[in-house]
Amino acid sequence: MARHAERREFDGLVTSAAVGRGGAVVVAGEAGIGKSALVDAVVQALDGFEVLRAAGTEFEHDLLYATLHQLCAPVLAYRRGLPVVQRRALEAVFGLGAQTSPDPLTVGLAVLGLLHEVAKDAPVCCVVDDAQWIDDASRRVLVFVARRVSAERIAMVFATRDAGSPSGFAELPRMPLAGLDDEDARTLLGAATHIGPDAEVIDRILAEAHGNPLALLEFAHHAEPFGVPGPRRFRASVVDTLEEQFVHRFERLPDATRSLVVLAAAEPVGDLDLLRSAARRLGLDAAGLTHAENAGLLVLGPLLRFRHPLVRSAVYASATPEKRRGMHGALAAVTDPETDLDRQAWHRAHAVIDADEDIAAELERSADRARLRGGFAAAAAFMERAGQLTPAPDRQAGRLLVAATLRLQAGAPDAARALVTRAERRRMDDQGRAKARLLRARIEYQRSHAPQATARLVDAVTESAPPDQARDTYLEAFASFMYNDIHPGLLRDLGARIRERAPRRETAGPADLLLDALLDQAMLPVERAVPAMRDAVTAYRAADSSPGPWRMNLLCQVAIDLRDDEAAEEIADRQVDEARSQGSLASLPQALRYQAVARVSVGRFDEAAASLGEARAVDEAAGTVPLLGPELVLTGFRGDEERFAELRELVGREGRPFEAAGEHYARAVLHNGLGNYDAALDAALTAQRRHQAGSYSIWAVYSELVEAAARAGRAADAAVAMEHLEALARANPVPWAVAERLRAQALLERGDDCETLYRQAIGQFTRTRVRVLHARARLTYGEWLRRENRRAEARDELRAAHDMLSCIGARAFAERAARELRATGEQPRRHGEDPLGLLTAQERLIAGKVAAGATSKEVGVMLFLSPRTIDTHLRNVYRKLGISSRRQLREMSL
């Protein structure tokens, strides 16, 4: 068969993997086109490779990590070389440890680490056949690994049908296989069959097979004179024709052999011992399988394999439902519940036609096990089947609602909504109907987060949810509006709606205090909002247990709005530490983003960039769309106008929230740095108008508004902002808030002694961690001194401001200081070019982690890369920086 080009490409993949340049490829084409033959030919020629194989089966599509078990079981002993968190996650997946709910990304990194350990001994080739049928959990892990083997001695090969290619594979390199041309097809027929020279028969075979190698062989081997399948107009496709051929051959077998073949088709693993036990239970002799082997339907060996997946599906579909149920019943009876309880439950579920509470309860327990291992899709499939087999209508409805909840958690809201509809057709009591309404409201809310969906969710929660669940939902709904409120006023309306349904509690826990703080901040004047905000921050800082990741996000923002720099950094760092220690990778990206916001506030821009880089790595690994607000803020402070424009174009697109509050604040900062004061004022006034209309606004924007208004000569536009800053400083007289109020008064020349106001503001800033604002206060003081013709004193302030801002990385503000310094007659000091500017963003991130003392393995865990990949990046870093060791890297200014 002429597959020379594909064979060369395939050989190149595995040859590169042998020397540490691994890769992945998806071999795609219709059934029978030769995918497995090509893969087998290459794999059989490998020398010195560890070959790991697995195959998806349509019967195991809903069994959690079924394909991963096949692939990794032979090398599981290598897990001893993994970090503890990864080893425990892998053991949880394989049922070897006590840990439950392993994070899917941690599982992916654990499998990558496992293959990395295997590859230390020999290059690895992983082959997954029929990838269109692998279970969802395995698919996610394998795609994750395939995208990260470029620096490994690992090759990943997936064979899949074009029509059934799973999501995630589209981004991998693709090798499409087409049918053979007539010349190659004739060569294949001549080499593999004994068809005579009858040109009419050969032409009809060629026309019917359309270059499909399996079809060519099948039609030729089983063609009677002039009796090959009829013209294509009678058949939908080559695949349909092949299935008819296989069924025809199957039907020629003895009755007992046909039963054995159906039994084998119902057992997806090909375990011959299990098949023999099930056959004995059915009164059959498994030796009869040799007849099916002689007929070319299957191959016997350590494991039974069908000649092609089409054979399995065709045989299974041709059997009567009664016969299929009987086969599943026999398989369930001989499956060991100690080692394969979930597969036994699945067989039992397919062995019955009537409702059966015992089997339904067993499936429910399987769903619980899948859920605890992080497999929401598998858990939903078990629970949905449990609902179908439940005799009592009310209990059936309850299980269907649980299945709908699991589908929603698995990211399938449409499937969840269909299950709710099915449940609502069953008999339910008032409590059940309330649960259904609440779940339907949650589904619509998750689908759109639209105002109407949010309002319905709040109403449904009020009607049916327990108090604690209601409070959490109110917080979630309110928080989503804070950052995605494109219609001013809706946030305040939602706050009023929630306050009506959730009045203040006399005995309030931290979560109650946080809800009160957010509602007060949105609905009350500053002086009246501050007490609840301060109480929430104090309560959470004193709490021993974690309040939950997304609550800490909200709390961190409350602390920043209160101008409490110490609390903001403490909360942000605690959140990141907890997410790391717990392996909570779903919450880690947003935790890192709030850590970045806190770092920006205190002028540690490189650390903020490292946090954002790590957050992007997690998002990229998870395939989620990142939020952009924190990166906009950092870019605004850095003064990178071009990058800011790129990011701003992405806001609100591809499923991202609009993040209006962060965008307006960042734009005001950017233009104040660039000296575009009218543009800065426009952004800040837009944020102010939205705030006055009832939308959330980052309170720091008012300080930017005052500076822009003062510099643009439009002091009257700063009246509302000034009132806000004064009210905040009165209600919460911490150094940061007081310093901002004093600097704003000086900028607007409110007072007889501007110099005293500036000096007091600078003095207050020195009591805080907010270096960048301290430097900007010295900048504005120096600008005032220059306008007062006090050049010598102005130089001192402007020089200090320029040095501080340059070191921090606030380039636009530093250039603004440089322009002012030149106007005094002094050239600003030139700061050396940053050698790290030669590095890519990922190289800089890795260099920073290594310089801080992390090992390659530790950095790999953080960034979802293998240690070998980290070492490859480090070699590039050393080459670009002209160094040769980690010690030299640590000595550089990172």
Side-chain angles (χ1 to χ4, degrees), residues 17-80:
V19 295
R21 295 194 302 274
V25 67
V26 176
V27 183
E30 70 174 355
I33 204 67
K35 302 184 294 294
S36 296
L38 175 64
V39 172
D40 288 344
V42 175
V43 168
Q44 288 167 10
L46 293 179
D47 184 22
F49 269 74
E50 176 74 49
V51 179
L52 303 175
R53 298 200 71 150
T57 63
E58 54 187 323
F59 306 115
E60 293 202 310
H61 187 265
D62 293 319
L63 286 180
L64 185 65
Y65 291 120
T67 306
L68 201 63
H69 277 240
Q70 294 180 52
L71 191 74
C72 296
V75 294
L76 202 55
Y78 282 90
R79 72 185 186 278
R80 297 186 184 91

Side-chain angles (χ1 to χ4, degrees), residues 346-370:
W346 201 238
H347 280 308
R348 288 190 70 194
H350 285 78
V352 297
I353 188 171
D354 296 322
D356 187 313
E357 177 56 34
D358 288 342
I359 297 178
E362 189 175 330
L363 287 167
E364 185 172 18
R365 289 190 289 273
S366 291
D368 288 340
R369 286 190 292 273

Side-chain angles (χ1 to χ4, degrees), residues 273-556:
D273 289 336
L274 189 71
L275 286 171
R276 291 188 185 101
S277 298
R280 284 194 297 270
R281 188 173 186 85
L282 293 167
L284 300 171
D285 183 356
L289 286 168
T290 56
H291 296 301
E293 185 176 37
N294 293 336
L297 293 175
L298 50 82
V299 179
L300 298 175
L303 294 175
L304 181 149
R305 289 194 305 117
F306 281 88
R307 184 185 172 200
H308 192 277
L310 281 178
V311 180
R312 180 194 293 275
S313 59
V315 166
Y316 189 83
S318 70
T320 64
E322 181 181 7
K323 181 176 280 290
R324 290 198 295 262
R325 287 193 294 271
M327 299 306 165
H328 283 295
L331 289 166
V334 299
T335 299
D336 185 357
E338 294 295 324
T339 59
D340 228 346
L341 187 56
D342 292 337
R343 186 172 278 111
Q344 183 191 57
W346 201 238
H347 280 308
R348 288 190 70 194
H350 285 78
V352 297
I353 188 171
D354 296 322
D356 187 313
E357 177 56 34
D358 288 342
I359 297 178
E362 189 175 330
L363 287 167
E364 185 172 18
R365 289 190 289 273
S366 291
D368 288 340
R369 286 190 292 273
R371 178 179 52 80
L372 289 172
R373 290 158 64 197
F376 292 113
F382 278 118
M383 189 58 78
E384 183 174 350
R385 183 62 174 154
Q388 293 169 350
L389 295 177
T390 301
D394 55 342
R395 192 160 191 180
Q396 184 182 70
R399 282 173 170 154
L400 289 173
L401 289 177
V402 173
T405 302
L406 291 165
R407 287 290 183 202
L408 187 63
Q409 290 174 304
D414 290 337
R417 185 166 55 184
L419 285 167
V420 172
T421 299
R422 286 171 55 188
E424 288 173 332
R425 292 174 184 153
R426 273 67 176 175
R427 187 173 67 243
M428 287 190 289
D429 57 18
D430 291 342
Q431 185 177 7
R433 296 207 172 276
K435 287 181 180 178
R437 283 195 301 273
L438 175 57
L439 183 52
R440 188 177 285 280
R442 285 191 181 281
I443 292 167
E444 296 307 318
Y445 171 73
Q446 182 164 314
R447 283 170 57 86
S448 69
H449 285 69
Q452 298 84 352
T454 305
R456 282 194 294 269
L457 176 62
V458 170
D459 290 340
V461 165
T462 304
E463 293 174 11
S464 11
D468 286 347
Q469 183 181 342
R471 178 199 57 214
D472 287 346
T473 304
Y474 294 148
L475 275 169
E476 179 186 352
F478 197 79
S480 73
F481 257 46
M482 285 174 63
Y483 304 111
N484 203 26
D485 179 10
I486 58 175
H487 303 292
L490 290 178
L491 184 71
R492 185 173 292 170
D493 292 343
L494 178 63
R497 196 183 189 95
I498 292 173
R499 176 59 76 210
E500 178 184 348
R501 289 157 175 74
R504 296 180 192 273
R505 297 185 182 185
E506 290 186 12
T507 303
D512 300 300
L513 294 173
L514 179 56
L515 180 59
D516 288 340
L518 295 176
L519 294 176
D520 284 1
Q521 187 177 6
M523 301 169 63
L524 299 178
V526 174
E527 298 95 327
R528 293 174 60 192
V530 162
M533 295 168 68
R534 206 165 42 213
D535 289 346
V537 171
T538 301
Y540 272 108
R541 291 179 75 185
D544 294 329
S545 59
S546 171
W550 60 273
R551 288 184 188 169
M552 291 183 78
N553 290 339
L554 297 172
L555 190 69
C556 184

Side-chain angles (χ1 to χ4, degrees), residues 606-635:
D606 286 343
E607 291 181 34
S611 295
L612 290 172
E614 188 177 344
R616 285 193 298 272
V618 182
D619 282 323
E620 188 268 340
T624 54
V625 178
L627 297 173
L628 298 175
E631 189 164 359
L632 280 168
V633 171
L634 173 60
T635 305

Side-chain angles (χ1 to χ4, degrees), residues 668-722:
V669 171
L670 172 74
H671 288 296
N672 270 334
L674 294 170
N676 302 331
Y677 299 115
D678 285 323
L681 183 57
D682 177 67
L685 285 173
T686 300
Q688 177 180 283
R689 285 191 293 270
R690 289 176 55 83
H691 193 198
Q692 289 174 313
S695 291
Y696 172 72
S697 179
I698 296 173
W699 283 3
V701 77
Y702 287 115
S703 184
E704 301 299 330
L705 194 157
V706 169
E707 181 170 344
R711 290 291 180 257
R714 296 164 56 184
D717 287 338
V720 173
M722 194 66 232

Side-chain angles (χ1 to χ4, degrees), residues 158-172:
F158 302 94
T160 183
R161 295 185 192 175
D162 275 326
S165 185
S167 61
F169 284 9
E171 60 201 68
L172 299 178

Side-chain angles (χ1 to χ4, degrees), residues 582-604:
Q582 296 169 7
S584 180
L585 302 181
S587 62
L588 182 58
Q590 193 66 345
L592 287 163
R593 288 189 170 88
Y594 270 95
Q595 186 180 59
V597 171
R599 294 290 190 267
V600 169
S601 299
V602 298
R604 291 152 66 180

Side-chain angles (χ1 to χ4, degrees), residues 712-729:
R714 296 164 56 184
D717 287 338
V720 173
M722 194 66 232
E723 290 174 5
H724 176 96
L725 294 173
E726 290 173 341
L728 179 59

